[in-house]
Amino acid sequence: MTKWTPRHEAPEPLEGNVVATITGGTVIWFVLFLAQLPFYGWFDDHGHLWWLWTCLVGGGLGLIGVWYVRKRDAAIRRAESAPRGAADAAR
């Protein structure tokens, strides 16, 4: 059996609104947490309490992700607006 190797180049990554994507995912995690919260007793009785805490942790990590991508976007915008010579001097 031969190893599979691609015969074409990989496509360029898509650039989209990353902040909105991460924010949307974070909101979904928190909504899932809040939707499951009234059923805390049922989850506890059936050994599925980790579902609830997974949603909460997903929302918390999403907040870190929102902070990170906002800082990243700001750094990219600063680098694009900086004069060409300043970017080369920083290296």
Side-chain angles (χ1 to χ4, degrees):
M1 181 164 30
T2 61
K3 181 179 176 183
W4 180 82
T5 55
R7 298 179 195 265
H8 53 81
E9 291 185 31
E12 291 293 321
L14 297 174
E15 289 295 329
N17 191 347
V18 181
V19 176
T21 302
I22 301 299
T23 302
T26 302
V27 168
I28 289 172
W29 279 115
F30 279 125
V31 166
L32 288 172
F33 171 74
L34 292 174
Q36 292 177 2
L37 199 56
F39 305 102
Y40 183 91
W42 185 89
F43 285 122
D44 193 23
D45 293 343
H46 291 87
H48 297 300
L49 200 53
W50 64 273
W51 290 4
L52 188 72
W53 302 123
T54 299
C55 293
L56 184 61
V57 169
L61 290 174
L63 290 175
I64 294 170
V66 169
W67 171 80
Y68 178 80
V69 295
R70 289 184 71 204
K71 292 289 186 179
R72 176 183 174 266
D73 282 352
I76 290 171
R77 280 194 301 274
R78 271 194 316 271
E80 288 174 350
S81 66
R84 178 77 173 144
D88 292 336
R91 291 182 188 179

